[in-house]
Amino acid sequence: MAADIAADDPARILSIALVGHGGVGKTSLAEALLLAGGGTKTLGKGADGTSSFDTEPEEQKRGHSLFSAFHHVAWKKAHVNLIDTPGAAAFLHDASNCLRAATTAVLVVSPNGETKGEDGKVLAWATELGVPRIAFVTRMDRERASFDQALEDLAGLEQKPVAVQLPIGAEAGFKGVVDLLSGKAFLGTAGGGAMREAEIPADLADEARAARERLVEAVAESNDELLEHYLDSGELSQEELLTGLRQAIVKGALLPVLCGAGGNAIGAATLLDFVVDVCPSAADLPPALGDDPRTQSSVERAPSLGEPFSAQIVRTVIDPFAGKLSVFRVFSGQITADTTVYNSTRQVKEKLGHLFRVEGKKQTQIGKAVAGDVVAVAKLKDAATGDTLCDEKVHTYYPRLRDFESSIQFALEAKNKGEEDKVMAGLHRLQEEDPALHLDRDEQTKEILLGGTGQLHVEATIERLKRKFGVDVVLKAPKVPYKETIRGKSQAEGKVKKQTGGHGQFAVAWLEVEPLPRGQGFEFVDKIVGGVVPRNFIPAVEKGVREALPHGTIAGFPVVDVRVTLFDGKHHDVDSSEMAFKTAAALGFRTACEQAKPVLLEPIMALDVQVPDDAMGDVIGDVNARRGKVQGVEPRGASQVIKARVPMSEVLKYGPDLNAMTAGRGSFHMEFSHYEELPAHLVDKVVKEAKRQAEGA
Ligand SMILES: Nc1nc2c(ncn2[C@@H]2O[C@H](COP(=O)(O)OP(=O)(O)O)[C@@H](O)[C@H]2O)c(=O)[nH]1
Ligand SMILES: [Mg+2]
């Protein structure tokens, strides 16, 4: 197959990740790219189950992607991996992971003034990961579609947009694109993904000339050498233009903007042309930066075949029958099936089985994979998303992928009594697929706690648990993960003394507690002098404190942001033991905390609400009523974005309320921001509720 010949050479491998907010048209564009590349015969659609990307029932039911999906096409002797990512706020973490696999991120945007917070966010993540970026304005066939509007919206983001195409026609009359690089027009063809070459329509000729001029200038300005040459000669050769543009993309100096209508398969073939002709291939990118864990020095792994093999897992798919599939991007070297590799994240060797190319829901077996490619391996024992796989002998470690804190947590129980273990086992498997799920157990109530990046995330997880593992659960009211800390400094004695008859128990630990800055967690300091607590018992003291941390003195919430100093104590040559010191430490810690002005902390969310002008007053009033603080309002297209900080307990069911307030015209994005002290007048209520739950009411 042609695709596989190209896939032997990093210079001919490109991986594009389609990113952008939910509903903008990424999956439709991915289907169009697949059709154009001959991977399918007809344009797939999520709604009728023919999608190659939205293959899970939970995605088809909702009409949007929950997880990234992979496919590939062969185009002009290059191998192009297609990565379709989810854009919904609650699933954006998966886009973040899969961006790591891309050689170019394609920001898919709307021509109707609808950019959202998620767009800026994914673009910034791509920048952080060093993934070059371009933009594609889709749905040009829609009413009031405006390419200029999209360019204006993009100008609000960090990277300077520059048109490399112009749309031919608009709305229902949208027909194709003018390619400013080649000076040719390309028109969509009925039913297929192909584009037919044509003359630039006469009425667009002037506009195209001016736009090309702007493009040449922008490219020249992105590079000192080119600029000098351009100022001297007044032009750039075609070669200089293409190379200069490629360099500007790699540097992030320019954001080239293309257009089309993914839903009608117009502009997909011209996007592939641009990707292959202009975007950097895997070989054009700088080496990946990692560490060698043995020497603790940093290493660079170039995208070439001669380098030691290194790769990072970007996605894990769990199938209850077929097992686990780990999708990884090869950064350097090459790998064949049945090789033993080293997982430097888990510090274990793993034997690879067959290698696969992921094609939507299906996989095809391949013999090897080289630097730049994105492939999969089945049934790795210990590996999870984010892990580095490397040469068994020459080690590489890549930093973990971005962590996502829960912004919501639900307590849940098995619908059928006795299935708790099955629920827990299933959730553990799903967690392997989805590292943004947080699984916990409430020690007091014995409930399973499931945290995620949004209500939608948790609900979809429950649906998948049922479908894949056949267990049903009941979601209880969402829980707010309160924490406890102290405001003052205090010292207390923890003492264990049972010395009546036989072998006794004796330990005394004097502990001081004091607050640490917010977010610092826990620190243990040993200030024992003169051996009043023998060296060998000091770890037991620390352990005793650590074991007491999860259960604070106010309402049993975890204690954070404290420094605990062991500064004095007593021991007995015979009766002291690790157990005795552990218990004494826990007692001393609790007493010290009780005296150190303990307080409750509540999680605060960063909330962005996008609403039409006329709903702004209501939404701001409502944010204030929820103890929120509005930090600013920014215009975005025809609407306003209200940026606020609001306590989590006040926005557990924000979605439906916002819908009611704005008649469905508002949207929001929410994520965890930080912890703040719970206002005094609310403490009683939270403590009572926690006690009620602890008593199993
Ligand atoms: N008119 C029009 N609608 C489109 C186009 N592309 C996508 N859509 C529609 O927009 C909605 C969201 O598309 P989808 O590709 O799932 O968006 P995603 O969430 O970004 O993957 C669907 O109803 C599509 O039918 C297009 O080019 N033109
Ligand atoms: Mg999608």
Side-chain angles (χ1 to χ4, degrees):
M1 225 162 64
D4 277 327
I5 297 166
D8 282 352
D9 178 3
R12 286 192 288 162
I13 298 178
L14 301 106
S15 305
I16 55 173
L18 307 184
V19 295
H21 70 260
V24 70
K26 298 175 296 300
T27 302
S28 306
L29 178 58
E31 305 286 358
L33 291 167
L34 193 59
L35 176 70
T40 44
K41 294 277 173 288
T42 54
L43 195 61
K45 287 203 167 48
D48 58 19
T50 57
S51 173
S52 298
F53 296 91
D54 283 352
T55 56
E56 303 252 301
E58 292 78 15
E59 300 181 310
Q60 291 164 358
K61 168 182 146 191
R62 289 182 169 80
H64 57 229
S65 321
L66 305 184
F67 289 100
S68 294
F70 302 81
H71 220 302
H72 60 97
V73 293
W75 194 258
K76 285 187 170 176
K77 300 199 176 115
H79 173 81
V80 184
N81 291 309
L82 307 175
I83 309 171
D84 178 36
T85 73
F91 296 89
L92 216 54
H93 52 272
D94 189 52
S96 165
N97 293 340
C98 290
L99 267 172
R100 175 76 172 140
T103 55
T104 293
V106 181
L107 181 69
V108 182
V109 293
S110 144
N112 293 84
E114 296 168 322
T115 26
K116 290 192 181 174
E118 289 87 301
D119 300 321
K121 190 169 270 183
V122 280
L123 199 66
W125 289 341
T127 312
E128 258 177 64
L129 287 166
V131 179
R133 296 139 328 261
I134 66 172
F136 185 90
V137 184
T138 195
R139 301 207 286 190
M140 280 305 302
D141 61 322
R142 252 175 131 203
E143 268 179 47
R144 290 189 296 283
S146 157
F147 186 62
D148 290 339
Q149 170 73 54
L151 283 175
E152 209 174 289
D153 290 347
L154 287 168
L157 301 175
E158 47 172 314
Q159 204 172 327
K160 186 183 166 191
V162 62
V164 295
Q165 293 179 346
L166 292 181
I168 301 175
E171 305 192 349
F174 176 67
K175 287 200 224 22
V177 303
V178 173
D179 173 23
L180 298 174
L181 291 168
S182 64
K184 286 181 188 141
F186 294 90
L187 303 177
T189 53
M195 302 279 283
R196 179 168 59 79
E197 196 181 313
E199 289 300 312
I200 297 181
D203 59 343
L204 264 179
D206 286 345
E207 204 184 323
R209 209 169 299 121
R212 173 160 166 121
E213 197 73 4
R214 281 195 295 277
L215 170 63
V216 174
E217 255 168 45
V219 171
E221 279 168 8
S222 71
N223 177 319
D224 287 346
E225 237 170 79
L226 277 185
L227 184 60
E228 210 171 298
H229 174 63
Y230 177 69
L231 292 177
D232 281 348
S233 67
E235 58 189 7
L236 293 182
S237 71
Q238 191 66 8
E239 180 58 33
E240 285 168 330
L241 180 60
L242 292 184
T243 316
L245 186 52
R246 177 176 308 127
Q247 285 165 353
I249 296 173
V250 175
K251 273 198 301 193
L254 292 176
L255 183 72
V257 186
L258 294 78
C259 61
N264 296 343
I266 299 181
T270 31
L271 170 59
L272 284 170
D273 280 342
F274 185 84
V275 166
V276 170
D277 294 342
V278 184
C279 289
S281 72
D284 292 325
L285 294 176
L289 303 179
D291 293 308
D292 180 336
R294 284 190 288 211
T295 59
Q296 302 218 320
S297 54
S298 40
V299 291
E300 292 192 350
R301 299 285 181 233
S304 67
L305 303 190
E307 289 272 304
F309 166 73
S310 72
Q312 192 163 20
I313 300 176
V314 296
R315 168 122 168 77
T316 306
V317 187
I318 300 287
D319 186 288
F321 307 105
K324 178 160 93 177
L325 201 64
S326 307
V327 182
F328 60 89
R329 150 103 179 255
V330 183
F331 280 96
S332 60
Q334 50 187 318
I335 188 79
T336 47
D338 305 314
T339 315
T340 297
V341 299
Y342 182 67
N343 179 334
S344 58
T345 309
R346 314 271 148 200
Q347 304 177 346
V348 291
K349 282 186 186 177
E350 297 236 34
K351 176 101 168 31
L352 301 187
H354 298 315
L355 291 174
F356 298 98
R357 211 167 263 308
V358 183
E359 301 177 332
K361 213 181 345 195
K362 299 196 211 96
Q363 300 109 39
T364 51
Q365 208 171 312
I366 51 172
K368 74 167 178 181
V370 308
D373 214 346
V374 182
V375 299
V377 61
K379 301 198 171 102
L380 286 184
K381 258 211 316 290
D382 295 302
T385 301
D387 286 8
T388 305
L389 303 177
C390 63
D391 188 289
E392 202 187 347
K393 300 202 180 66
V394 189
H395 290 183
T396 308
Y397 170 79
Y398 291 123
R400 293 166 49 89
L401 301 173
R402 177 183 294 272
D403 270 331
F404 286 84
E405 292 239 23
S406 293
S407 68
I408 197 162
Q409 191 182 44
F410 284 87
L412 48 87
E413 59 184 30
K415 208 167 223 170
N416 300 322
K417 286 270 167 278
E419 283 194 337
E420 281 75 17
D421 288 347
K422 224 170 140 189
V423 169
M424 211 53 187
L427 286 173
H428 271 300
R429 299 298 309 274
L430 291 178
Q431 201 181 20
E432 285 183 58
E433 270 188 319
D434 186 349
L437 283 177
H438 296 279
L439 202 48
D440 226 332
R441 201 146 209 173
D442 188 322
E443 292 301 331
Q444 294 171 350
T445 63
K446 303 286 173 227
E447 284 166 328
I448 298 171
L449 300 177
L450 181 62
T453 50
Q455 183 157 352
L456 185 63
H457 186 203
V458 171
E459 282 171 3
T461 302
I462 296 311
E463 284 172 36
R464 303 175 72 242
L465 181 71
K466 183 171 179 188
R467 174 170 60 87
K468 292 193 163 194
F469 300 97
V471 276
D472 215 350
V473 300
V474 189
L475 277 190
K476 302 212 211 154
K479 286 210 161 187
V480 179
Y482 292 102
K483 291 190 170 158
E484 300 188 13
T485 190
I486 49 170
R487 274 214 307 210
K489 198 165 169 172
S490 168
Q491 300 184 335
E493 180 197 43
K495 186 171 181 176
V496 171
K497 187 167 190 262
K498 276 193 207 116
Q499 291 177 298
T500 41
H503 189 48
Q505 289 286 347
F506 182 83
V508 176
W510 273 94
L511 298 172
E512 177 177 271
V513 296
E514 62 191 309
L516 283 178
R518 201 60 66 241
Q520 297 283 57
F522 169 69
E523 204 180 300
F524 180 78
V525 182
D526 161 28
K527 279 209 185 139
I528 290 297
V529 283
V532 288
V533 176
R535 285 288 90 185
N536 56 322
F537 290 135
I538 287 172
V541 173
E542 178 170 352
K543 200 159 176 224
V545 176
R546 279 191 187 274
E547 287 182 7
L549 281 175
H551 312 290
T553 51
I554 308 178
F557 296 115
V559 181
V560 293
D561 305 338
V562 285
R563 177 185 290 130
V564 179
T565 307
L566 171 67
F567 65 95
D568 201 358
K570 286 186 193 139
H571 74 285
H572 182 274
D573 285 344
V574 179
D575 292 345
S576 282
S577 65
E578 278 185 15
M579 195 58 208
F581 269 105
K582 233 173 77 172
T583 313
L587 291 171
F589 173 68
R590 286 184 70 84
T591 315
C593 283
E594 272 164 12
Q595 301 165 2
K597 303 200 192 81
V599 289
L600 286 182
L601 296 175
E602 64 171 340
I604 307 293
M605 310 300 286
L607 174 69
D608 284 6
V609 198
Q610 181 164 357
V611 290
D613 276 340
D614 60 297
M616 209 167 74
D618 287 351
V619 171
I620 289 182
D622 174 72
V623 164
N624 290 330
R626 293 174 195 260
R627 298 193 286 125
K629 294 188 190 91
V630 174
Q631 306 204 303
V633 179
E634 291 170 6
R636 191 176 292 157
S639 44
Q640 304 287 335
V641 178
I642 301 160
K643 295 185 163 289
R645 296 279 182 275
V646 195
M648 183 198 277
S649 61
E650 306 283 343
V651 284
L652 289 173
K653 299 202 177 91
Y654 192 63
D657 294 349
L658 179 67
N659 268 340
M661 252 181 303
T662 60
R665 294 171 306 154
S667 64
F668 72 101
H669 174 75
M670 184 152 64
E671 64 183 35
F672 170 77
S673 168
H674 63 281
Y675 273 89
E676 267 176 30
E677 212 176 301
L678 183 72
H681 69 280
L682 295 171
V683 171
D684 233 26
K685 194 175 138 221
V686 172
V687 171
K688 280 209 182 97
E689 176 59 23
K691 294 230 163 90
R692 198 180 63 79
Q693 296 226 354
E695 281 151 17

